[in-house]
Amino acid sequence: MPEVRRAVCPGSYDPPTVGHLDVITRAAALFAEVYVAILVNPRKEGLFAVEERVEMLTGITADLPGVRVESFRGLVVDYCRERGAQAMVKGLRGATDYDYELPMAHMNRHLSGVETLFLPGAPDQVYVSSSLVKEVARGGGDVTAFLPPSVHARLRERLA
Ligand code: PNS
């Protein structure tokens, strides 16, 4: 039995939504330490720089004990090993997420033994995604309900 139960919540978080925050909060209730890990993806430029995402996530998780925010490059299993994490935690909003996530969970376990734990997305947030929020916001729609207030302020600034 490992001394510290440590988990990783990996993702793009461009930007972090209330759905992300819900999963991180629930992971923090299950594990002594949670690393929120933002993928640095050289093939995909985000709306927000990775450093900005680190800042946003650090701000919105500041009151959650045991949560740290970092970026990572390469394979998530290598990051998990470096941090001594036994599991990664991800939210599942529905069947599309499941179909996308299941092969990655198998592959990651094959590569490293790291388990993937899925938390069902909060029922009132299953239609929330970073990409949809950006699309609606770009079109002038109201996305207040889907983002923590500090993230919403940054998005408005970015799209102004
Ligand atoms: O928020 P996203 O974009 O759905 O997150 C996807 C992410 C970052 C969790 C996934 O693409 C990932 O783990 N990428 C790191 C590279 C990697 O390990 N790829 C092999 C997965 S089997």
Side-chain angles (χ1 to χ4, degrees):
M1 172 86 67
E3 274 178 28
V4 178
R5 287 274 162 193
R6 203 172 279 154
V8 167
C9 289
S12 302
Y13 301 107
D14 184 41
T17 67
V18 291
H20 290 129
L21 186 55
D22 179 60
V23 171
I24 295 164
T25 303
R26 290 159 68 192
L30 295 171
F31 287 84
E33 294 181 4
V34 171
Y35 286 84
V36 179
I38 305 161
L39 174 67
V40 178
N41 187 348
R43 288 184 307 258
K44 199 168 146 194
E45 203 190 326
L47 178 62
F48 291 96
V50 169
E51 298 72 31
E52 293 178 295
R53 296 179 225 170
V54 170
E55 282 171 20
M56 287 189 274
L57 279 159
T58 302
I60 64 178
T61 59
D63 60 345
L64 295 175
V67 173
R68 273 172 251 194
V69 181
E70 295 182 335
S71 59
F72 75 102
R73 289 166 195 275
L75 293 179
V76 67
V77 290
D78 291 334
Y79 175 80
C80 289
R81 195 182 45 235
E82 283 163 23
R83 292 291 172 263
Q86 296 82 32
M88 56 187 107
V89 177
K90 294 181 169 187
L92 275 192
R93 289 165 296 194
T96 306
D97 278 354
Y98 180 79
D99 287 344
Y100 172 66
E101 293 289 349
L102 192 65
M104 290 204 287
H106 285 308
M107 182 60 80
N108 285 329
R109 185 153 180 264
H110 169 87
L111 289 173
S112 67
V114 170
E115 295 283 5
T116 299
L117 303 182
F118 294 122
L119 295 178
D124 57 333
Q125 295 169 358
V126 289
Y127 60 101
V128 180
S129 68
S130 299
S131 49
L132 215 46
V133 165
K134 284 184 284 193
E135 188 178 328
V136 171
R138 282 186 177 117
D142 181 5
V143 294
T144 318
F146 310 129
L147 300 172
S150 56
V151 175
H152 185 248
R154 285 221 193 202
L155 182 66
R156 283 183 61 155
E157 230 172 75
R158 181 56 41 95
L159 298 180

